[in-house]
Amino acid sequence: MSELLQQIINGISMGSIYALIALGYTMVYGILRFINFAHGDVFMVGAFVGYFVAPIVAPVVGGSGLAAAVLVMMISMLACALLGVTIEKLAYRPLRSRPKLTALITAIGVSLFLEYGGQLVFGPDPKPFPALIPSTMIVNSKFLVLSSNSLVVIGTALLLMVLLRHIIFRTRMGTAMRAVSYDHRAASLMGINIDSVISFTFALGSGLAAAAAILYASVYPSINPLMGLFPGLKAFVAAVLGGIGNLYGAVIGGMIIGLLETLVTGYISPIYRDAISFAVLILILLFRPAGILGRHETEKV
Amino acid sequence: MMLEIDNLEVAYGAVRAVKGISLNVAQGKIVTMIGANGAGKSSTLRAISGITRTSGGRIRFDGRDITTMPAHKIVALGISQAPEGRMIFANLTARENLAMGAYLRRDTEGIEKDMDYVFAMFPKLKDRIDQPGGKLSGGEQQMLAIARALLARPRLLLLDEPSLGIAPILVRTIFEKIVEINRELGTTILLVEQNARMALSIADYAYVLETGEVRLHGNAAEIASDDEIRKAYLGER
Ligand SMILES: Nc1ncnc2c1ncn2[C@@H]1O[C@H](COP(=O)(O)OP(=O)(O)O)[C@@H](O)[C@H]1O
Ligand SMILES: [Mg+2]
């Protein structure tokens, strides 16, 4: 019983990381009907920004855990927001009127560029990610090991999701995003600058990916330039599972993938840890291509 | 002239929808474009708003060339449109649709006032204000589209078949409101209509379009009394 509880907490913690990444896929899809396959690599860059920034930031704010962690996360989010906006501007925008396949192939190109560029710049071997917040054991018994780490991950992710929901459903820019996702032309008739809304969407999604990366790296404190591959693919599956284009779907999908993965690892075999997401992907595509909350091209963000 | 269109051409692939239309709209007037289905009326309005690429000609607003200006900048200059098909954001509430109409404005108080103005004009909208746009009836969506275009506080309002799909008893109301907008707010209006009789009854000036060309233009009253027009568009023999 308590082992199950343990697994569930770990699953939700992992799931909230996938959910944060999945939100980026789903928002960009909602606006452009396009899968940004470089999203997982933006996540990777987020981890590296954290890695390089942490030693500089920590002494400045007096080394205290929380302040340093928050600052590192914000810098990484900002850097990735900028990266996301730049990628869109340089790689995707010039192709916007071309067939979707062109942009998709370009996204794969951008992904490879970041992965191999990352190896060139950062070196291919894994680097130890600094422990930003010293993980304390909240419960450490024979039955349940609960570190502050998983609670920090879940709490931070939750906070960011609430913030995102506020931006999208309560602000002028968020409303414009929903308008653009419904109809570009109608939105431009309102005076909405579509390009700015698209840039903003990439900034939001990439910022969330960076936050996810900092959380991920504090759970698995070894980072490398290819680390974005699997979390990226799994978050993509999560977004499709939840119903791509749907924000709540991305969160639900992320949680399901996180939980499934943890449970499969714990109760069946760790060998299937990565395979399970792809099994899920095949199942959804076969039986419910629109995903759990998907409603075939209606109400997408 | 507030709006000057010279030899406008619009093509969709091989289909030449607008073949050199010239048209003027003077400040403060109601000008109507009438003509059969497929005459190129909507294409012309879309070209003015910048949501359709033109393949020839010039569009000037206040003497300024807006032919290739992006749509959102044209709105900023003071042209808004209640487009064909209404283009309501089905996923946004009626209130959010109106807020998007006012997207470029920052004067919160002025927006509030204009919201009240459109609610007074279309009381039904107020009851439906928190419903998703997609849940509104055709008539309600039409009112919402007009109200939304008004919330931009345009100097030139483009209306594409506001009476389309509206219950016959509402058609008269809609036309009364159009006159009210013109008189009370001083908004210049370019009105596209299938309902030629109604349109001519409220317009100052009229253009009759036929297969992408201006067949005839003149004072609305003159056009309304033209024998051929009466036969072709007003269903008289
Ligand atoms: N998006 C489009 N793609 C292809 N042809 C179009 C499109 N829109 C309009 N047309 C064609 O252009 C012509 C003019 O259409 P339109 O401007 O909608 O006329 P109206 O509003 O007067 O009915 C018609 O022949 C129509 O079929
Ligand atoms: Mg039309």
Side-chain angles (χ1 to χ4, degrees):
Chain A
M1 186 56 217
S2 57
E3 192 194 330
L4 181 64
L5 182 65
Q6 173 94 58
Q7 301 283 14
I8 287 177
I9 292 172
N10 293 345
I12 291 178
S13 158
M14 211 52 220
S16 37
I17 291 175
Y18 292 150
L20 287 179
I21 310 173
L23 283 165
Y25 279 109
T26 227
M27 284 192 288
V28 165
Y29 183 85
I31 299 275
L32 289 175
R33 302 293 185 272
F34 152 78
I35 306 293
N36 175 18
F37 274 116
H39 192 53
D41 304 297
V42 172
F43 163 89
M44 171 275 290
V45 172
F48 273 93
V49 173
Y51 172 82
F52 287 113
V53 157
I56 305 169
V57 160
V60 175
V61 291
S64 108
L66 189 65
V70 169
L71 202 59
V72 167
M73 185 175 274
M74 291 204 324
I75 293 173
S76 172
M77 287 174 79
L78 212 65
C80 282
L82 223 70
L83 175 65
V85 169
T86 310
I87 291 173
E88 190 275 324
K89 215 167 224 154
L90 296 184
Y92 305 149
R93 187 169 300 180
L95 304 173
R96 208 178 288 154
S97 55
R98 303 290 184 79
K100 288 275 143 73
L101 188 62
T102 317
L104 221 59
I105 292 168
T106 306
I108 294 169
V110 173
S111 167
L112 292 173
F113 173 81
L114 290 175
E115 285 170 14
Y116 291 97
Q119 297 195 4
L120 197 72
V121 177
F122 308 134
D125 30 82
K127 303 204 159 29
F129 195 80
L132 290 171
I133 303 180
S135 183
T136 52
M137 288 303 161
I138 295 171
V139 185
N140 192 1
S141 69
K142 209 166 74 189
F143 308 105
L144 184 66
V145 185
L146 186 56
S147 76
S148 61
N149 234 337
S150 38
L151 293 187
V152 166
V153 169
I154 296 171
T156 310
L158 204 66
L159 185 76
L160 289 170
M161 288 172 197
V162 170
L163 201 68
L164 179 72
R165 195 179 68 158
H166 176 81
I167 292 174
I168 295 205
F169 291 99
R170 291 281 172 271
T171 69
R172 175 172 170 269
M173 191 51 150
T175 313
M177 278 174 72
R178 287 181 288 137
V180 171
S181 85
Y182 186 76
D183 186 343
H184 284 213
R185 265 187 165 192
S188 66
L189 272 184
M190 304 296 109
I192 296 170
N193 181 343
I194 307 292
D195 284 342
S196 324
V197 170
I198 290 171
S199 290
F200 184 76
T201 306
F202 271 83
L204 269 186
S206 307
L208 290 179
I214 302 294
L215 297 177
Y216 185 85
S218 48
V219 179
Y220 301 106
S222 163
I223 66 171
N224 71 78
L226 298 182
M227 68 179 280
L229 195 58
F230 275 113
L233 282 172
K234 289 171 188 172
F236 166 65
V237 174
V240 174
L241 172 62
I244 189 127
N246 187 305
L247 293 175
Y248 296 104
V251 173
I252 292 170
M255 292 299 170
I256 293 176
I257 295 292
L259 279 167
L260 260 182
E261 187 176 289
T262 318
L263 294 177
V264 164
T265 308
Y267 291 103
I268 303 175
S269 161
I271 321 174
Y272 299 120
R273 181 169 177 245
D274 293 331
I276 182 70
S277 315
F278 301 103
V280 169
L281 180 62
I282 293 167
L283 289 177
I284 332 159
L285 291 181
L286 281 178
F287 296 107
R288 200 178 157 86
I292 297 172
L293 298 183
R295 266 177 288 158
H296 289 288
E297 296 294 44
T298 57
E299 204 166 337
K300 307 254 154 123
V301 164
Chain B
M1 277 301 149
M2 183 181 236
L3 182 75
E4 294 165 277
I5 301 181
D6 282 326
N7 255 312
L8 177 69
E9 291 178 35
V10 176
Y12 305 98
V15 181
R16 293 177 64 214
V18 178
K19 310 172 202 165
I21 284 181
S22 296
L23 174 157
N24 290 324
V25 178
Q27 174 132 14
K29 303 285 186 209
I30 299 180
V31 175
T32 186
M33 251 197 282
I34 57 176
N37 230 330
K41 306 181 297 293
S42 299
S43 300
T44 303
L45 290 194
R46 285 197 289 266
I48 298 170
S49 282
I51 54 171
T52 284
R53 211 192 294 273
T54 60
S55 43
R58 283 274 156 275
I59 304 172
R60 265 182 287 266
F61 182 64
D62 288 339
R64 182 168 178 176
D65 192 330
I66 60 165
T67 318
T68 56
M69 197 178 265
H72 66 273
K73 291 194 175 153
I74 293 174
V75 179
L77 289 182
I79 302 180
S80 73
Q81 177 171 179
E84 180 171 59
R86 300 163 193 141
M87 289 190 170
I88 293 302
F89 300 110
N91 59 334
L92 304 190
T93 63
R95 187 193 302 279
E96 287 170 333
N97 269 278
L98 293 177
M100 288 297 96
Y103 183 76
L104 291 176
R105 294 173 61 185
R106 297 292 184 165
D107 56 323
T108 322
E109 274 176 33
I111 295 172
E112 282 298 315
K113 253 197 183 146
D114 288 353
M115 288 255 187
D116 290 340
Y117 181 82
V118 298
F119 290 149
M121 182 176 275
F122 303 120
K124 259 211 164 153
L125 275 188
K126 193 159 192 176
D127 306 331
R128 309 284 271 144
I129 195 67
D130 290 315
Q131 294 284 317
K135 290 266 160 65
L136 270 55
S137 72
E140 289 164 346
Q141 287 194 352
Q142 190 63 68
M143 294 180 213
L144 183 59
I146 297 171
R148 187 177 65 176
L150 272 181
L151 269 145
R153 275 248 156 194
R155 294 204 299 117
L156 173 62
L157 176 64
L158 311 177
L159 297 172
D160 199 341
E161 303 210 27
S163 75
L164 193 75
I166 299 270
I169 41 162
L170 266 177
V171 170
R172 186 167 295 275
T173 318
I174 292 263
F175 278 93
E176 281 165 13
K177 301 303 175 190
I178 294 170
V179 175
E180 188 183 317
I181 292 164
N182 175 251
R183 301 274 149 79
E184 286 186 11
L185 302 177
T187 311
T188 308
I189 292 173
L190 178 53
L191 168 69
V192 160
E193 258 300 327
Q194 287 269 335
N195 190 335
R197 185 190 304 275
M198 268 301 194
L200 290 173
S201 75
I202 64 165
D204 299 298
Y205 203 83
Y207 288 83
V208 181
L209 266 59
E210 232 171 66
T211 57
E213 287 169 308
V214 174
R215 152 100 194 284
L216 190 71
H217 61 99
N219 289 325
E222 283 168 29
I223 298 284
S225 58
D226 183 288
D227 276 345
E228 273 187 57
I229 296 298
R230 287 161 67 132
K231 274 189 206 141
Y233 298 102
L234 303 178
E236 291 174 17
R237 34 187 78 242

